[in-house]
Each structure stands twice: as C-alpha cells, then as structure tokens.
Amino acid sequence: MNPALKRWLLSYAVTAVIFAVLDLVWISFVASNFYQSQIGHLIAASPNAAGAAAFYLIFVAGMVHYGVRPNDAGATLRQRVTGAALFGFFTYATWALTAFAVLKDFPAVVAVTDILWGAGACALVTWLTVTALRRVLVKQDVR
C-alpha cells in the first residue's frame, strides 16, 4: 500500500475514534439536555442511524483533509488546528444558520452553541490526533 494512503487511513482511524469519544461525551453530558430544553419539539424519538453514520464518515474525512493533513509534512500544528477549526466553524455554521433561518422557533443560542462546538471540537480532535501521530505525520517518502 502507498505510504501516503497508509498515513491518511491511519489518520482517519485515529481522528474517528477521538471524535467519536469526544462527541459521545458532548452529547451525553451537555447537548442532550440542552437540546431537549431548547428544541425538544424538533428532536426525533430515535436518531436515524444511516444519517448519523453518513455524517460521521464524511465529517471525519473533512477533518483529516482540512485539519490533520497527514501528507503535508510542512504544515505546522497551528496551521492544522486552525484549518480544522475553520472547517468545523463553516460546516456547523451551515447547518445551524440554515436551521435558524428556516425552522420555526429555532433558538439563536442553539445556533451559536453548535457553531462554537463545531469549531472547538474540530480543533481539539485535530490537536489530539496530530499530537498522537506526530512522528507518522512528519515522515515523508523519499523518492
């Protein structure tokens, strides 16, 4: 297997695990009660598993591409974390501000909280991933 592909897949796997743990903690201890109190009337009785799986698969790929950047040995930690924070900001803002614009009674506090969560979570996950894989990420192929 190509070393660049190996680095990308390893980065994807590590990012996915870290994000899953962080998001589970967020949902379990903060978001669940907050969302129920703010937008409980919009929340489904049970989540759509296919939709959730598609979100996580795609979103993690975005974090790896825009944040972790496993095949860019020249990227600094600051550049990686900033890229991830911006990715999280723009993606979560797209959802939150669209919901705020088109859903009846969607609270601004939920939109702002989601946007901050997206930026902060992506930055933290990328920082943890890059820190865990530092040696792998700075190694480049000599060809």
Side-chain angles (χ1 to χ4, degrees):
M1 182 184 295
N2 177 325
L5 180 57
K6 278 185 184 180
R7 273 193 303 275
W8 198 93
L9 291 173
L10 176 61
S11 296
Y12 185 94
V14 172
T15 301
V17 169
I18 293 171
F19 185 58
V21 170
L22 184 65
D23 212 36
L24 179 64
V25 169
W26 166 255
I27 291 168
S28 297
F29 295 104
V30 178
S32 183
N33 290 335
F34 175 67
Y35 289 146
Q36 193 61 44
S37 72
Q38 296 294 316
I39 56 171
H41 61 288
L42 297 174
I43 298 174
S46 60
N48 179 313
F55 165 77
Y56 282 103
L57 290 170
I58 293 167
F59 193 74
V60 169
M63 271 195 284
V64 172
H65 181 79
Y66 293 105
V68 178
R69 297 192 274 183
N71 293 307
D72 184 0
T76 66
L77 180 59
R78 173 183 250 168
Q79 290 169 328
R80 295 170 199 259
V81 170
T82 300
L86 288 170
F87 172 74
F89 174 85
F90 289 120
T91 54
Y92 273 71
T94 300
W95 143 249
L97 294 176
T98 299
F100 184 64
V102 302
L103 295 179
K104 183 179 176 184
D105 300 326
F106 193 87
V109 67
V110 173
V112 171
T113 301
D114 273 0
I115 294 166
L116 293 174
W117 169 248
C122 285
L124 179 59
V125 169
T126 295
W127 179 77
L128 291 168
T129 300
V130 171
T131 299
L133 297 176
R134 183 171 301 275
R135 287 192 175 103
V136 173
L137 297 179
V138 298
K139 182 181 176 185
Q140 289 294 312
D141 301 329
V142 178
R143 290 194 178 158

